[in-house]
């Protein structure tokens, strides 16, 4: 790209960001306390956490404040952003709705602090939850039918937290669809729903699927069950129970969040969502996916579009943080009988991936693999304390089996990832990015360019043209 075209693209991005900022700030925190919204029984507090997210915040705020079914309360936490994130949040939500936390504060800790300081809205603050008065000021007459209503005509209020990242933008109907799934379950008498999550699509390629529920393999791999660059054609659009949903757009019952102790502080960034939902299952609750609720996610931290500096004294590699989080999550949540097998899988899998990264000339990720494993195993007291806090699961071991990847399901994805490293990282289409492995989104060229054209099976085509990687895989097998 020439200097002139790069400068023009930069001005286009800046103009678009300014336009998005204006669009976000034209909204005010909504919800008329006298008018019942759709699904009035459910009281939703939105919690948006920001960390150097000024690039994505205008879209995120426009999505939050432009919901067809508005939240009853919106609050944000800024974790020491070095850009204008805090000011953007204050302009959109009001300065009194923004908490300013230390830069090393993790996502879960920020949500916990917001929850601790944010009031629970009751029928006193939301009059539509209560029985209306019998006096009609318009006709100046008494309405006898009001006395036949119960004290709480919509039922006992249910408090929810809607968790949002600064780099995720919900579609206008996202919250309504999340609550619709919850309300349908409640009407059927199934009130054990603790968490509901949306379908995640790409930030640049808005038809690409990132997650429709997520699980974890015994090797620690984050498993979505999606093909690489799979496009959304409605093939996964059915409500179902999943092991976990992403914290980007997660709707969780506030009382259960507090009972579970919130996110584990040993997981300040990655895999915290899997751990929280796994604990919710173990406590006897359910986690559902609502695929009609759509949220776009940029995955800024895992794609290294901003620094990860909440896990130590210095900035850390996303790969290392994700690896350490996966090992910790498995070791503190796996049942004791299966723990030796899982530990063996983790060690052997890490060694094999390290060798593959070295052969593929990706020494940085090889080092991250080892550091993530060793850094977690050398602190057994943390694992023991984590297992003690979780206690004994309240469900049978077989109830969760179907929520994990089936045996052998991760082999193809692992082979593709190893082969891509052998082919070489100079090709942008085969370079790994994000945390989904096989679901790599076409990222921007430069700062924020339009997404690249998608080519299905591009990686396999390149492998087939090069006999070296194929021969290596055959010999390895």
């Amino acid at each position: 790209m020439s200097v002139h075209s790069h400068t023009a693209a930069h001005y286009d991005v800046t103009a678009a960001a300014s336009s998005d900022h204006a669009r976000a700030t034209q909204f005010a925190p909504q919800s008329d306390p006298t008018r019942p919204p759709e699904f009035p029984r459910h009281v939703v507090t939105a919690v948006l956490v920001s960390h150097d997210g000024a690039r994505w915040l205008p879209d995120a705020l426009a999505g939050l404040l432009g919901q067809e079914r508005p939240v009853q309360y919106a609050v944000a936490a800024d974790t020491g952003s070095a850009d204008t994130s805090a000011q953007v949040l204050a302009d959109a939500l009001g300065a009194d709705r923004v908490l300013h936390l230390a830069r090393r504060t993790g996502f879960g800790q920020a949500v916990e602090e917001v929850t601790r300081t944010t009031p629970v809205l009751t029928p006193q603050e939301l009059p539509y939850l209560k029985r209306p008065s019998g006096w009609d000021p318009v006709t100046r007459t008494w309405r006898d039918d009001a006395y036949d209503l119960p004290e709480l005509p919509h039922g006992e209020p249910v408090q929810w937290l809607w968790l949002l990242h600064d780099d995720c933008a919900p579609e206008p109907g996202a919250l309504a669809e999340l609550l619709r799934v919850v309300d349908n379950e409640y009407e059927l008498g199934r009130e054990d729903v603790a968490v509901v999550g949306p379908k995640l699509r790409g930030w640049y390629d808005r038809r690409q699927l990132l997650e429709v529920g997520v699980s974890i393999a015994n090797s620690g791999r984050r498993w979505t069950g999606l093909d690489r660059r799979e496009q959304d054609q409605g093939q996964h659009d059915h409500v179902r129970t999943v092991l976990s949903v992403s914290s980007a757009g997660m709707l969780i019952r506030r009382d259960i969040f507090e009972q579970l102790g919130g996110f584990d502080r040993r997981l300040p960034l990655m895999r915290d969502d899997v751990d929280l939902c796994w604990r919710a299952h173990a406590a006897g609750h359910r986690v559902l996916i609502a695929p009609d609720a759509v949220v776009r996610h940029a995955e800024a931290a895992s794609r290294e579009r901003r620094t990860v500096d909440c896990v130590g004294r210095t900035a850390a590699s996303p790969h290392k943080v994700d690896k350490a989080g996966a090992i910790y999550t498995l070791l503190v949540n796996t049942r004791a009988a299966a723990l030796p097998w899982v530990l063996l899988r983790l060690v052997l899998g890490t060694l094999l991936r390290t060798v593959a990264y070295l052969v593929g000339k990706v020494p940085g990720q090889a080092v991250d693999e080892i550091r993530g494993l060793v850094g977690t195993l050398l602190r057994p007291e943390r694992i023991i304390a984590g297992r003690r806090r979780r206690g004994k699961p309240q469900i049978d071991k077989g109830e969760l089996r179907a929520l994990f990847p089936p045996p052998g399901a991760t082999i193809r994805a692992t082979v593709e990832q190893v082969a891509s490293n052998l082919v070489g990282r100079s090709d942008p289409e085969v370079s790994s990015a994000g945390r989904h492995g096989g679901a790599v989104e076409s990222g921007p060229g430069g700062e924020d360019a339009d997404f690249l054209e998608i080519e299905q099976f591009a990686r396999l085509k390149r492998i087939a043209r090069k006999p070296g990687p194929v021969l290596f895989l055959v010999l390895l097998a």
Side-chain angles (χ1 to χ4, degrees):
M1 180 183 291
S2 67
V3 174
H4 175 75
S5 60
H6 179 79
T7 304
H10 174 73
Y11 284 134
D12 289 342
V13 170
T14 304
S18 301
S19 174
D20 288 340
H21 176 68
R23 186 171 69 253
T25 54
Q26 73 181 352
F27 295 100
Q30 303 176 30
S31 193
D32 184 347
T34 63
R35 293 186 57 188
E38 192 176 11
F39 312 113
R41 179 184 180 184
H42 304 286
V43 180
V44 181
T45 298
V47 180
L48 194 158
V49 179
S50 172
H51 183 83
D52 292 345
R55 186 191 308 181
W56 307 279
L57 267 177
D59 272 0
L61 287 166
L64 166 60
L65 301 175
Q67 288 297 300
E68 296 168 357
R69 195 285 191 187
V71 301
Q72 279 88 344
Y73 197 83
V75 63
D78 181 76
T79 56
S81 295
D83 58 12
T84 60
S85 295
Q87 187 59 49
V88 173
L89 290 172
D91 291 343
L93 301 178
D96 60 328
R97 299 286 185 93
V98 181
L99 273 69
H100 300 273
L101 304 175
R103 186 167 179 84
R104 288 180 57 188
T105 306
F107 177 82
Q109 189 177 353
V111 173
E112 182 181 342
E113 186 66 21
V114 169
T115 305
R116 186 182 66 83
T117 58
T118 301
V120 176
L121 299 183
T122 65
Q124 280 64 42
E125 290 83 22
L126 303 173
Y128 66 79
L129 291 174
K130 297 188 298 184
R131 179 177 60 196
S133 171
W135 173 253
D136 187 345
V138 177
T139 61
R140 301 183 65 81
T141 58
W142 292 94
R143 294 166 42 197
D144 295 334
D145 59 335
Y147 293 100
D148 297 330
L149 294 174
E151 182 65 26
L152 297 173
H154 303 293
E156 191 69 29
V158 184
Q159 304 287 336
W160 296 88
L161 297 173
W162 193 23
L163 310 183
L164 297 168
H165 299 185
D166 55 4
D167 63 342
C168 76
E171 296 294 317
L175 181 57
E177 295 299 336
L178 291 171
L179 292 177
R180 180 170 287 109
V181 168
V182 173
D183 212 58
N184 289 341
E185 294 295 316
Y186 275 41
E187 288 182 0
L188 295 173
R190 299 195 287 259
E191 299 190 4
D192 58 346
V193 178
V195 181
V196 186
K199 172 197 297 179
L200 294 187
R201 288 186 187 154
W203 186 269
Y204 302 98
D205 181 355
R206 301 189 179 192
R207 298 298 301 175
Q208 182 188 335
L209 286 172
L210 295 182
E211 288 182 14
V212 192
V214 67
S215 186
I216 186 172
N218 284 337
S219 62
R221 187 184 190 90
R222 189 177 180 91
W223 180 252
T224 63
L226 301 174
D227 292 331
R228 179 177 180 268
R229 290 180 177 169
E230 183 172 341
Q231 297 290 288
D232 186 8
Q233 299 175 337
Q235 66 271 37
H236 300 286
D237 285 1
H238 54 279
V239 178
R240 67 187 188 280
T241 301
V242 293
L243 177 68
S244 172
V245 297
S246 172
S247 57
M250 174 191 292
L251 185 72
I252 181 169
R253 264 178 51 184
R254 185 168 182 163
D255 58 335
I256 294 176
F257 180 82
E258 293 171 350
Q259 290 170 13
L260 295 174
F263 291 100
D264 192 323
R265 293 201 174 194
R266 301 296 184 191
L267 296 168
L269 194 59
M270 298 177 182
R271 304 303 181 108
D272 50 350
D273 45 12
V274 176
D275 173 76
L276 178 66
C277 292
W278 196 341
R279 286 187 282 133
H281 278 293
H285 307 294
R286 283 193 301 152
V287 178
L288 300 179
I289 189 73
D292 289 334
V294 178
V295 172
R296 294 188 294 119
H297 193 201
E299 299 182 303
S302 58
R303 294 179 185 275
E304 300 186 59
R305 292 172 185 161
R306 60 176 164 205
T307 57
V308 177
D309 48 11
C310 62
V311 294
R313 297 181 181 276
T314 59
S317 161
H319 188 86
K320 172 184 174 293
V321 175
D322 184 69
K323 178 70 177 182
I327 295 172
Y328 178 85
T329 299
L330 281 170
L331 295 183
V332 298
N333 289 291
T334 300
R335 291 178 178 269
L339 199 57
W341 164 244
V342 170
L343 184 58
L344 179 64
R345 281 287 306 272
L346 287 172
V347 173
L348 291 179
T350 299
L351 294 177
L352 288 175
R353 278 191 292 272
T354 301
V355 172
Y357 284 134
L358 291 174
V359 173
K361 299 180 180 179
V362 196
Q365 293 201 15
V367 173
D368 289 339
E369 284 282 325
I370 296 297
R371 291 177 63 197
L373 174 69
V374 174
T376 304
L377 296 184
L378 288 182
R379 295 181 174 179
E381 71 281 357
R382 292 187 176 185
I383 298 173
I384 295 172
R387 293 185 63 85
R388 187 179 297 116
R389 284 195 301 269
R390 282 153 181 78
K392 185 178 180 181
Q394 298 182 17
I395 58 174
D396 184 73
K397 62 181 181 180
E399 293 186 37
L400 292 182
R401 189 171 297 155
L403 305 181
F404 291 90
T410 60
I411 293 179
R412 179 174 65 88
T414 302
V415 168
E416 284 193 2
Q417 183 177 356
V418 171
S420 71
N421 292 328
L422 292 173
V423 172
R425 296 176 61 88
S426 59
D427 186 342
E429 290 194 27
V430 298
S431 297
S432 63
R435 57 181 178 173
H436 300 101
V440 180
E441 180 191 6
S442 299
E447 281 294 306
D448 278 316
D450 292 335
F451 61 85
L452 303 174
E453 182 179 358
I454 296 170
E455 178 189 355
Q456 293 291 340
F457 309 113
R459 180 180 297 175
L460 294 179
K461 291 178 182 177
R462 286 175 174 79
I463 296 171
R465 296 192 193 107
K466 298 190 177 184
V470 176
L471 177 61
F472 172 81
L473 292 175
V474 171
L475 294 175
L476 181 63

